[in-house]
Amino acid sequence: MLLRHHTRTRALGTVALAPITALMILGAAHAEPQARAEPAPAPLPLSVQPSTQEHAPAPAPQPAVAPQAAPAPKKSREAPALVYAKMSEDPTPTLTPATFLATMRMADHYKALAEAGGWSQVPTGLSLKPGDRDPAVAALRGHLVMTGDLAANATHSDLYDETLVAAVKSFQARHGLPESGLVQRLTVAALNVPASVRQRQLAASAERLMGSKFPFGDRYVVVNIPSATVEAVENGAVARRYVAVVGKPDKATPSVETRVTDVNLNPTWTLPVSVIKNEIIPTMRKNPGYLAKNHIRMLGPGGVEVDSTTFDWSGEKAVNYTLRQDSGFDNSLGQVRIDMPNKFAVYMHDTPSKSLFAGNVRFHSHGCVRVGQVKEFAAWLLQGTEGPNGAGSAWGPIEIESGIATGEKRDIKLVKPVPVTFVYLTGYATPDGRAHFRDDIYGLDTPGTPAPSAATDVVTTGSITPRAVIKPARAGQPVPSTADLTPAAQPIARSRPAAAPAPKPEAVRQAPIARPTPRSAPREPDLLPPGLVGPRG
């Protein structure tokens, strides 16, 4: 056979090849089509790449190919990792049945401190870390002894030692500051607030508690507005403490006493008239597609939807229409709303703007209270309420997530309403004899300052018995003692400042509209900040 092949190749005038060379060429000729038939496998996405612990096999060598432009990365639907401001782990609630009297007694104590001359100021530029020596340490020690953070028999020196660091951490905890033990700008500012101001904070806060008929019970919720925190209290101790975002000074969160009755999954949001007038109308004149972009429907009489892009926005006729934002990732209320009927129409809710939960200063909403980890909070509220799978089931975080994933709006009624109160305590005392202070962000402790209220112009969603306004003690007037203060018959109610315009009633709520198809990933609203007051749709 080889002889015939050799003879034939010579007859064709070709150069004869060695047998082994011919076999190699034939083998390559047969292998080449097979290599072309199997394209190189595409690389796995990063999310499913095998880890080194799984000892993934090494990929087969691939033939060289011409470089190609990398495709643009797709936007992830996953929410970014959340960062929350550090919360105190102290199980002592801000508000208990004993808070009123304890705070008044503490006000008397601070009055005595102020009359005795108070404490010495520390240098405004003071900065201390453990092990430092500074002549100002003496003033720091004296202050902390007067406030009970440092034992009176502690060693006196100019060394910032471990005992003094622990006392500073105690001081920082009482003032809602990061418990770092470092003496820096915020701690120095708190140290230099005079004892007379602290006394006024305690007295004014106690006055705001006068006449309260709040039914504490075994389980209740406290939102201390100056602290921007939410406490879930159970059996006399804080079971959960959550970061909150509350009203900015010109859109103050009001004091409220009511009950949580429902948890709403995938809520819609009806825009208040003030937002339509002051924000929506000017925006639509410049950008007619704004409402559609933010999934806000415009409803006329009978709930009939109106095309907002062809509507005449030159006047203010839009205030007579209902503007409702569909549920979804970018809804201003987020994915969960905590329903608590009250005359101010404020409530607690989720938000797509979660970055604000990381800040130590959290006064950004229009009156409502945004709650960090609101789904966990909702699960706590729903304890004892029958879950989605009937008798014996419960509403835990997984069930709440599953309910949200359906995309359907759902109202879950608590089997037993949970009492909730929004309080404004810039100074208060706990049963352990410690005084706590927060910044007077709304200026309610300043003599002669009118009490602000949430800029709400919506219909009343519940009823709260109004209380007579009790003005804080003015400069030069004696501060009432514990014996002078007797509970009033009615609770305190906040009124709108005189300069504010009269509220307009919102259009009557219409029947719910059909929910649209799922939308894109969560994003920060362009104009409408979550936390605005207004009824749910």
Side-chain angles (χ1 to χ4, degrees), residues 148-174:
D149 296 294
L150 182 66
N153 60 357
T155 302
H156 292 274
S157 72
D158 63 354
L159 175 64
Y160 189 45
D161 56 24
E162 292 183 1
T163 301
L164 192 53
V165 170
V168 167
K169 288 183 178 180
S170 172
F171 176 89
Q172 291 170 332
R174 294 190 301 106

Side-chain angles (χ1 to χ4, degrees), residues 65-393:
V65 295
Q68 297 180 356
K74 295 182 179 180
K75 293 183 178 181
S76 173
R77 288 180 58 86
E78 295 294 328
L82 299 182
V83 177
Y84 297 97
K86 185 175 178 58
M87 290 286 96
S88 169
E89 298 180 359
D90 186 354
T92 305
T94 295
L95 184 67
T96 70
T99 300
F100 172 74
L101 289 178
T103 301
M104 283 311 308
R105 293 190 183 102
M106 190 61 69
D108 290 343
H109 174 65
Y110 271 74
K111 180 182 179 182
L113 291 178
E115 291 175 345
W119 41 71
S120 301
Q121 299 277 298
V122 298
T124 55
L126 180 64
S127 178
L128 294 174
K129 63 181 184 299
D132 286 351
R133 288 185 179 274
D134 194 291
V137 169
L140 176 63
R141 288 183 182 276
H143 183 130
L144 298 178
V145 168
M146 294 182 70
T147 56
D149 296 294
L150 182 66
N153 60 357
T155 302
H156 292 274
S157 72
D158 63 354
L159 175 64
Y160 189 45
D161 56 24
E162 292 183 1
T163 301
L164 192 53
V165 170
V168 167
K169 288 183 178 180
S170 172
F171 176 89
Q172 291 170 332
R174 294 190 301 106
H175 291 75
L177 299 172
E179 299 170 37
S180 64
L182 302 177
V183 177
Q184 295 176 328
R185 182 177 59 87
L186 294 179
T187 300
V188 169
L191 286 165
N192 284 338
V193 174
S196 59
V197 174
R198 294 305 191 196
Q199 184 272 338
R200 187 171 70 233
Q201 287 183 278
L202 291 163
S205 295
E207 289 182 25
R208 287 189 284 268
L209 290 176
M210 288 180 61
S212 171
K213 303 297 182 182
F214 184 66
F216 289 93
D218 294 334
R219 302 175 81 240
Y220 62 93
V221 175
V222 176
V223 176
N224 188 23
I225 300 166
S227 300
T229 58
V230 176
E231 294 177 354
V233 182
E234 192 165 7
N235 298 322
V238 176
R240 309 276 196 281
R241 184 177 280 113
Y242 301 99
V243 178
V245 173
V246 299
K248 60 183 72 174
D250 61 335
K251 297 291 189 296
T253 298
S255 297
V256 170
E257 289 182 356
T258 182
R259 296 174 184 269
V260 174
T261 58
D262 299 82
V263 171
N264 314 131
L265 305 183
N266 297 313
T268 58
W269 177 54
T270 301
L271 280 65
V273 172
S274 62
V275 174
I276 297 173
K277 180 178 179 180
N278 300 326
E279 301 183 42
I280 296 299
I281 293 178
T283 299
M284 289 298 289
R285 291 171 182 169
K286 301 176 183 178
N287 180 12
Y290 175 79
L291 289 183
K293 179 182 178 181
N294 286 276
H295 310 286
I296 299 174
R297 299 175 185 262
M298 189 171 188
L299 307 177
V304 177
E305 186 168 354
V306 176
D307 186 352
S308 61
T309 61
T310 61
F311 185 81
D312 181 10
W313 293 94
S314 60
E316 296 188 353
K317 295 179 181 179
V319 298
N320 298 318
Y321 290 75
T322 297
L323 270 60
R324 179 175 297 150
Q325 188 177 35
D326 295 329
S327 61
F329 283 114
D330 53 0
N331 183 279
S332 291
L333 304 186
Q335 297 174 315
V336 179
R337 176 185 188 270
I338 309 299
D339 198 1
M340 40 176 285
N342 62 91
K343 66 183 294 185
F344 298 103
V346 292
Y347 39 82
M348 295 177 283
H349 63 89
D350 185 20
T351 173
S353 304
K354 294 181 170 59
S355 61
L356 295 176
F357 290 131
N360 290 323
V361 178
R362 301 182 298 276
F363 304 92
H364 305 288
S365 84
H366 279 53
C368 289
V369 176
R370 313 174 201 171
V371 185
Q373 299 174 291
V374 69
K375 296 169 187 175
E376 179 186 313
F377 179 47
W380 182 85
L381 290 168
L382 290 169
Q383 288 179 16
T385 300
E386 185 177 285
N389 300 319
S393 64

Side-chain angles (χ1 to χ4, degrees), residues 490-532:
Q490 300 295 334
I492 296 175
R494 297 292 169 200
S495 59
R496 182 185 300 273
K504 293 185 178 181
E506 185 181 359
V508 178
R509 295 191 228 173
Q510 306 297 338
I513 55 180
R515 188 185 62 82
T517 56
R519 300 192 298 275
S520 59
R523 57 182 172 79
E524 298 280 334
D526 298 328
L527 175 67
L528 301 175
L532 297 176

Side-chain angles (χ1 to χ4, degrees), residues 452-464:
S453 64
T456 175
D457 52 10
V458 298
V459 294
T460 299
T461 60
S463 61
I464 301 288

